[in-house]
């Protein structure tokens, strides 16, 4: 499958069909999840009451921003080792989407966390391991885009960006395990869906009434993001083709 889509012409044919399906289905599932989360499921008194409904935006965005960075690093690795141009196109498409989802994760976490913790996120960010590591992730996405924009040739930009993306990958497991590793330096709650250690053994998790719409919403967002990445990749490929045609015509003039 991946070897087939690695061919730009096959990718363009596949993405032309896949984009409307993934974006359309993703929006439908996401809308259903938000409707359930904002108006149907009961409030959670232990998590701030109705404000806990922010989880249906915050949790999928948190998972996706980490997943998107893994995708960015993976695409960068493929380009760095095999110089596959479509991988670099994918990395460039992932970066702004990842930055947007990281900002969304941060914003919704602040909205949900302040009444739940009793402290404003801006007052705890400097010593909270989870908040700080997510902020670093946002800076990595922004730094990747800024670095690429600052260099004068695409090869230099792709190489520098790939190195930054691969090195920054170490931050993803730090985000995931920060609450468990540095309990004394965070007020963030432990994981409720993907659990390890004591929480998994005690079967401490989220109730199905919340879990089902949450997971459907995440799957919907995943489809939507996949379609959006393919859309940006197509735009990048069309731009490269237009630049090549313009350069050829100028050389012939």
């Amino acid at each position: 499958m991946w070897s087939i889509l690695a061919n730009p012409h096959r990718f363009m044919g596949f993405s032309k069909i896949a984009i409307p399906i993934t974006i359309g289905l993703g929006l439908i599932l996401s809308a259903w999840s938000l409707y359930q989360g904002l108006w149907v499921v009961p409030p959670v008194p232990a998590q701030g009451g109705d404000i806990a409904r922010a989880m249906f935006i915050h949790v999928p965005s948190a998972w996706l921003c980490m997943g998107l960075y893994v995708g960015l690093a993976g695409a960068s690795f493929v380009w760095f080792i095999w110089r596959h141009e479509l991988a670099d196109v994918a990395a460039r498409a992932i970066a702004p989407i990842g930055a947007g989802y990281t900002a969304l994760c941060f914003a919704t976490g602040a909205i949900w966390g302040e009444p739940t913790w009793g402290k404003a996120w801006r007052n705890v960010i400097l010593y909270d391991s989870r908040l700080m590591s997510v902020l670093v992730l946002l800076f990595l996405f922004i730094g990747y885009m800024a670095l690429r924009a600052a260099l004068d040739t695409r090869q230099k930009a792709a190489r520098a960006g790939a190195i930054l993306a691969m090195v920054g990958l170490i931050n993803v497991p730090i985000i995931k395990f920060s609450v468990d590793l540095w309990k004394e330096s965070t007020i963030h709650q432990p994981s409720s869906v993907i659990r390890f250690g004591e929480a998994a053994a005690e079967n401490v998790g989220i109730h199905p009434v919340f879990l089902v719409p949450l997971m459907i919403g995440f799957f919907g967002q995943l489809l939507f993001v996949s379609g959006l990445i393919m859309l940006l990749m197509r735009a990048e490929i069309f731009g490269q083709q237009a630049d090549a045609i313009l350069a050829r015509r100028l050389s012939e003039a």
Side-chain angles (χ1 to χ4, degrees):
M1 179 66 175
W2 294 114
S3 61
I4 294 175
L5 295 181
N7 182 292
H9 296 290
R10 291 173 181 166
F11 169 77
M12 294 297 279
F14 170 81
S15 60
K16 185 176 182 180
I17 299 172
I19 287 173
I21 296 174
T22 53
I23 291 181
L25 184 58
L27 287 174
I28 291 172
L29 293 177
S30 298
W32 181 87
S33 171
L34 287 176
Y35 171 74
Q36 293 291 316
L38 298 179
W39 286 285
V40 177
V41 302
V44 188
Q47 293 291 333
D50 282 324
I51 198 66
R53 299 178 190 276
M55 79 171 77
F56 293 94
I57 302 174
H58 175 68
V59 174
S61 64
W63 291 344
L64 281 169
C65 70
M66 290 188 289
L68 285 166
Y69 194 87
V70 172
L72 173 65
S76 298
F77 177 79
V78 171
W79 181 88
F80 193 81
I81 300 299
W82 293 286
R83 292 297 191 269
H84 200 297
E85 290 302 319
L86 199 60
D88 183 56
V89 171
R92 292 190 64 181
I94 291 171
I97 301 173
Y101 268 93
T102 308
L104 180 62
C105 169
F106 213 91
T108 52
I111 293 171
W112 181 12
E114 186 162 339
T116 304
W117 299 334
K119 297 180 181 180
W121 66 269
R122 59 187 173 274
N123 295 331
V124 301
I125 186 172
L126 292 179
Y127 68 82
D128 188 280
S129 56
R130 173 63 62 83
L131 292 177
M132 181 57 70
S133 54
V134 172
L135 183 61
V136 169
L137 184 70
L138 178 60
F139 288 158
L140 283 169
F141 276 121
I142 296 174
Y144 175 87
M145 293 184 289
L147 180 62
R148 294 200 61 138
L151 297 177
D152 54 356
T153 66
R154 186 179 175 193
Q155 286 295 108
K156 290 181 181 179
R159 179 180 175 81
I163 294 172
L164 174 62
M166 290 186 292
V167 171
L169 186 61
I170 188 62
N171 189 53
V172 174
I174 290 176
I175 295 174
K176 172 64 185 120
F177 297 108
S178 59
V179 175
D180 301 314
L181 293 175
W182 298 291
K183 295 180 181 180
E184 69 284 352
S185 63
T186 183
I187 58 176
H188 197 284
Q189 70 182 62
S191 298
S192 300
V193 179
I194 302 175
R195 308 183 304 278
F196 301 94
E198 295 179 2
E202 296 171 2
N203 197 28
V204 178
I206 187 171
H207 193 279
V209 72
F210 303 103
L211 180 61
V212 172
L214 182 64
M215 295 305 297
I216 290 177
F218 168 69
F219 184 64
Q221 287 292 316
L222 183 61
L223 287 174
F224 174 74
V225 166
S226 299
L228 199 57
I229 290 172
M230 288 188 287
L231 188 64
L232 292 181
M233 289 178 67
R234 286 176 62 87
E236 174 71 15
I237 292 171
F238 281 134
Q240 291 179 12
Q241 292 174 346
D243 290 341
I245 293 173
L246 179 61
R248 186 170 62 251
R249 290 181 177 178
L250 289 174
S251 64
E252 293 173 353

